[in-house]
Amino acid sequence: MREINIPVHADQLKALADRFEAFRTELASTAPLTGTDGLRQLTRHLRTSHELTFETLTQLTALDGSQATRMNGALAALDCLAQIVQQAGLVSENLTAAVSANAYDGTSWSPAQDTDAIGRGLRHLDARNAIATQLAETSPPLQICAEGCRIVSDHLTKHFPRPAPSQTRAHAVGATAPLPGAAALPSGQRAAR
């Protein structure tokens, strides 16, 4: 069983929850673009979505097989992280559907429509509405991701509390390690200065 620094992972999960929430807010306030600008916008969002999914998967991998599996509710906590990975994947799926719904001027299906400003405008309006729908559908899974990260973080903190600062300092003062390369002296002898 691997020993990991559980408080660090609890902090990372809280920070990850904040990032999921910030991403949810960003997507909710995004005015969808179409064409090349829309592709750039969606590419940036997809990159963020994949990064968040990967970070959640990294947390799941770190906690699985560690001392965290000894706590009460460990299976539920790991399952919760697995569900967060799935929900984050759904966000990416919505964003890839938005990429598909985008109106691309360079790959027109109807050359006659491309010369018609009204037809082109309607195509972009339809695409913008479809993209807006996909962006709106990312909100529930992102909320689940944020709440799930906070729940697991709180559970870890409850079962693996941080040592009190006074205990940490006393432990550090009482347990001094010799400098690298220094020879151990017999008890009662002092090092020459």
Side-chain angles (χ1 to χ4, degrees):
M1 182 172 293
R2 288 177 293 106
E3 293 289 320
I4 63 172
N5 190 332
I6 299 288
V8 166
H9 286 277
D11 289 346
Q12 289 173 346
L13 283 166
K14 277 193 183 188
L16 189 56
D18 292 341
R19 288 186 62 204
F20 274 118
E21 193 59 48
F23 190 43
R24 179 174 174 250
T25 301
E26 179 185 351
L27 291 180
S29 63
T30 294
L33 303 174
T34 55
T36 302
D37 292 337
L39 181 59
R40 283 192 195 109
Q41 182 184 60
L42 292 168
T43 299
R44 189 179 74 249
H45 293 326
L46 261 169
R47 186 178 299 120
T48 301
S49 179
H50 288 308
E51 288 170 0
L52 292 172
T53 304
F54 181 74
E55 288 180 32
T56 307
L57 190 56
T58 300
Q59 290 299 318
L60 174 60
T61 303
L63 294 173
D64 183 46
S66 76
Q67 76 269 30
T69 58
R70 293 191 301 242
M71 70 180 175
N72 290 336
L75 184 59
L78 294 174
D79 187 50
C80 184
L81 284 174
Q83 294 298 321
I84 295 168
V85 171
Q86 181 188 28
Q87 293 297 313
L90 291 176
V91 172
S92 294
E93 188 177 320
N94 286 118
L95 292 171
T96 56
V99 169
S100 178
N102 192 10
Y104 297 100
D105 291 332
T107 56
S108 168
W109 291 102
S110 172
Q113 237 183 0
D114 281 346
T115 60
D116 178 7
I118 294 174
R120 180 180 182 279
L122 289 175
R123 203 160 45 84
H124 279 264
L125 180 61
D126 287 346
R128 191 168 285 128
N129 290 337
I131 292 168
T133 299
Q134 294 299 330
L135 292 178
E137 289 182 9
T138 65
S139 185
L142 284 170
Q143 184 174 3
I144 291 168
C145 291
E147 289 174 7
C149 285
R150 287 188 184 103
I151 288 168
V152 174
S153 175
D154 290 346
H155 195 68
L156 289 171
T157 301
K158 177 183 171 188
H159 288 279
F160 296 93
R162 294 178 191 278
S166 60
Q167 289 176 334
T168 304
R169 193 179 69 228
H171 177 69
V173 170
T176 56
L179 295 173
L185 296 175
S187 179
Q189 288 187 348
R190 292 186 180 190
R193 293 186 188 218

